[in-house]
Amino acid sequence: DQQVKQNSPSLSVQEGRISILNCDYTNSMFDYFLWYKKYPAEGPTFLISISSIKDKNEDGRFTVFLNKSAKHLSLHIVPSQPGDSAVYFCAAISTGTASKLTFGTGTRLQVTL
Amino acid sequence: GAGVSQTPSNKVTEKGKYVELRCDPISGHTALYWYRQSLGQGPEFLIYFQGTGAADDSGLPNDRFFAVRPEGSVSTLKIQRTERGDSAVYLCASSLDGRDTDTQYFGPGTRLTVL
């Protein structure tokens, strides 16, 4: 039972344009959400997070939006750069019960020149 | 100023053998996590240590899997009687205090192949 879903396995975007990566979750106990970025042969690297008490969090070129009623979050990268090409994982935590991360299956982003 | 390190980076073994995977967390981090990433999947939680004790081992798939962290620093994941289905990348992460919103920093992983 996949509690965190990333339905797009891959995405290709031109350099300078906006990349939008989507994530859906089913567990209503999740209240803290994160995006991790992974390059080949490396471990995932934390990118940005959002608490369920917010609907938006911004950090430089990266913005995460949370729609609790729809159980949906998205990561916006603007402008996209070739170095952003990686696999992006959405993850969720149910705070107060466990600090383990539940990950989605990932979306491979390719930023083309 | 090293990050999380894991050894070996690759391990090939035969079905039925015993393997040990090692994780060195970031110095001073009290929380340590093990995850497993199978091909085409996201990382899946295995076990979480707070200090020396396993605070949550609900993700261990069966009793062939065991992990220890005897001194509250280095951790070893042990897999007995390996099966082909155990082939995956085993990721270790650490965080400062283990609070829910603490950032988990991941190592590069150990790729285990069971022939």
Side-chain angles (χ1 to χ4, degrees):
Chain A
D1 177 29
Q2 195 73 26
Q3 298 185 69
V4 178
K5 301 177 186 180
Q6 294 176 258
N7 292 319
S8 298
S10 63
L11 176 68
S12 183
V13 172
Q14 271 192 320
E15 182 182 11
R17 308 293 282 263
I18 184 169
S19 296
I20 300 176
L21 295 93
N22 293 302
C23 177
D24 297 289
Y25 62 97
T26 57
N27 188 340
S28 57
M29 298 298 292
F30 288 147
D31 56 0
Y32 190 72
F33 304 90
L34 309 90
W35 285 93
Y36 275 80
K37 172 175 161 179
K38 186 181 185 304
Y39 293 118
E42 294 183 11
T45 303
F46 170 75
L47 198 54
I48 193 168
S49 62
I50 188 166
S51 165
S52 61
I53 62 172
K54 295 185 174 182
D55 54 18
K56 176 183 173 181
N57 188 26
E58 191 172 349
D59 183 2
R61 296 186 298 114
F62 303 91
T63 303
V64 56
F65 295 91
L66 175 62
N67 182 334
K68 278 193 302 182
S69 60
K71 293 192 176 67
H72 176 84
L73 63 155
S74 61
L75 174 68
H76 292 210
I77 306 172
V78 55
S80 300
Q81 298 174 354
D84 296 330
S85 297
V87 177
Y88 289 78
F89 290 100
C90 172
I93 286 179
S94 174
T95 62
T97 62
S99 58
K100 60 189 178 187
L101 295 168
T102 300
F103 284 89
T105 52
T107 296
R108 181 177 301 278
L109 174 65
Q110 180 75 34
V111 179
T112 59
L113 299 173
Chain B
V4 177
S5 62
Q6 293 186 244
T7 54
S9 54
N10 280 284
K11 176 71 178 177
V12 180
T13 191
E14 292 180 343
K15 180 175 178 295
K17 299 287 190 183
Y18 168 83
V19 296
E20 289 190 353
L21 312 179
R22 176 188 167 109
C23 172
D24 280 86
I26 292 172
S27 178
H29 280 194
T30 64
L32 185 146
Y33 308 80
W34 284 99
Y35 293 84
R36 176 169 75 171
Q37 185 176 12
S38 302
L39 197 62
Q41 302 297 314
E44 292 180 298
F45 170 79
L46 295 176
I47 186 169
Y48 155 52
F49 286 91
Q50 182 57 255
T52 60
D56 183 349
D57 65 358
S58 61
L60 294 178
N62 52 60
D63 61 6
R64 296 186 297 106
F65 288 75
F66 190 71
V68 295
R69 195 185 184 199
E71 297 177 359
S73 177
V74 169
S75 176
T76 305
L77 179 66
K78 309 180 181 197
I79 310 174
Q80 298 178 323
R81 304 183 305 280
T82 52
E83 299 178 357
R84 292 196 180 88
D86 299 335
S87 296
V89 175
Y90 288 80
L91 294 162
C92 176
S94 71
S95 71
L96 186 60
D97 292 319
R99 288 175 299 177
D100 296 332
T101 55
D102 275 355
T103 298
Q104 294 185 28
Y105 297 89
F106 283 81
T110 294
R111 180 175 298 277
L112 175 67
T113 303
V114 182
L115 301 176

